[in-house]
């Protein structure tokens, strides 16, 4: 089954404790992206990747890191989480980069709810 | 980057047609307009995409005027199961090697029996 998976689905942690949220897709997609969703603010892009070893900042990259060592995986790293990073996080992937038409449809993972105390 | 503006919420009765408009005044030449639907506790899912004029699929229509500074998602004869948040997304190759995507804040559609 074609899908985007995220782990963990729920995470409660404390300020300053490094954490990684994994994202994996099995559709051989080129473009992958991380978003955070907060009440009243909608979906905001954190980082995106156009291909292996190619990543770039989205709207709200501060406090986050990403890597794309393999095509299927795109982990989100919080080196020193703070309470303002408490949010719902979504990973997404698409066959091609945005602006290419139908093949840039994004497929979203189920979300990771992160609470930083 | 093209910012998008949508109404925060809308109410509609079952069986009615619903039109949700998104403004994107700074849309770039290469940007496509895509709409997503999101149910609570789920990731967004694709509804429809267009570049200009009108696009129709089995669930919705998308109207884009010639200047492309806005777009309207049309849902025919909504049912209770259409209650969700609808997002407008504008994005493409900015020409400077940037493929950043900007979602609107979403429109919460409530369908009333």
């Amino acid at each position: 089954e074609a899908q985007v998976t995220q782990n963990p689905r729920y995470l409660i942690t404390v300020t300053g404790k490094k954490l990684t949220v994994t994202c994996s897709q099995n559709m051989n997609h080129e473009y992958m992206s991380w978003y955070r969703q907060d009440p009243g603010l909608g979906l905001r892009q954190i980082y995106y990747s156009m291909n292996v070893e190619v990543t770039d900042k989205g709207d709200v990259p501060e406090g986050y890191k990403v890597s794309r060592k393999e095509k299927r995986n795109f982990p989100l790293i919080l080196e020193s989480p703070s309470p303002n990073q408490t949010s719902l996080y979504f990973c997404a992937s698409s066959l091609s980069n945005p602006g290419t038409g139908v093949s840039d449809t994004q497929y979203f993972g189920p979300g990771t709810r992160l609470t930083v105390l | 980057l093209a910012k998008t503006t949508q109404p925060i919420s809308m109410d509609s009765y079952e069986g009615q047609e619903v039109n949700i408009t998104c403004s994107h005044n700074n849309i770039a030449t290469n940007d496509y307009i895509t709409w997503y639907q999101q149910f609570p506790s789920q990731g967004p899912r694709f509804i429809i995409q267009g570049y200009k004029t009108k696009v129709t699929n089995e669930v919705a229509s998308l109207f884009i005027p010639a200047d492309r500074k806005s777009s309207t998602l049309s849902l025919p004869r909504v049912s209770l199961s259409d209650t969700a948040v609808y997002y407008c997304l504008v994005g493409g190759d900015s020409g400077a090697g940037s493929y950043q995507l900007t979602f609107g804040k979403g429109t919460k559609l409530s369908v009333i029996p």
Side-chain angles (χ1 to χ4, degrees), chain A residues 53-93:
Chain A
E53 302 292 1
V54 182
T55 63
D56 207 346
K57 298 176 181 179
D59 284 324
V60 288
E62 295 77 21
Y64 304 95
K65 287 176 59 177
V66 292
S67 68
R68 188 93 181 273
K69 292 182 170 48
E70 304 167 282
K71 197 171 187 178
R72 62 183 293 128
N73 296 322
F74 190 45
L76 178 69
I77 304 157
L78 285 71
E79 295 271 3
S80 183
S82 62
N84 64 12
Q85 292 177 297
T86 293
S87 187
L88 179 59
Y89 291 85
F90 287 101
C91 180
S93 71

Side-chain angles (χ1 to χ4, degrees), chain A residues 2-77:
Chain A
Q3 60 183 347
V4 178
T5 57
Q6 296 178 226
N7 281 293
R9 294 290 312 280
Y10 302 90
L11 179 60
I12 300 174
T13 188
V14 295
T15 299
K17 186 176 182 180
K18 181 180 178 180
L19 66 92
T20 299
V21 183
T22 64
C23 173
S24 183
Q25 50 92 5
N26 62 0
M27 296 170 279
N28 201 35
H29 282 176
E30 300 278 337
Y31 188 90
M32 296 186 74
S33 186
W34 275 103
Y35 298 89
R36 60 178 290 173
Q37 186 170 39
D38 303 289
L41 298 177
L43 285 155
R44 294 180 293 168
Q45 192 178 44
I46 303 171
Y47 269 95
Y48 65 91
S49 169
M50 293 178 287
N51 212 327
V52 175
E53 302 292 1
V54 182
T55 63
D56 207 346
K57 298 176 181 179
D59 284 324
V60 288
E62 295 77 21
Y64 304 95
K65 287 176 59 177
V66 292
S67 68
R68 188 93 181 273
K69 292 182 170 48
E70 304 167 282
K71 197 171 187 178
R72 62 183 293 128
N73 296 322
F74 190 45
L76 178 69
I77 304 157

Side-chain angles (χ1 to χ4, degrees), chain B residues 4 10-12 21 25-26 31-32 34 36 49 51-52 58 62-63 76 96 99:
Chain B
T4 59
M10 296 180 70
D11 293 336
S12 176
T21 297
N25 291 321
N26 297 322
D31 286 346
Y32 278 76
T34 313
Y36 289 82
Q49 183 185 65
Y51 184 79
K52 60 181 179 181
E58 62 275 9
L62 179 59
F63 299 91
Y99 292 92

Side-chain angles (χ1 to χ4, degrees), chain B residues 16-34:
Chain B
Q16 288 188 329
E17 178 183 76
V18 171
N19 296 308
I20 306 174
T21 297
C22 179
S23 298
H24 28 80
N25 291 321
N26 297 322
I27 189 168
T29 302
N30 294 328
D31 286 346
Y32 278 76
I33 301 155
T34 313

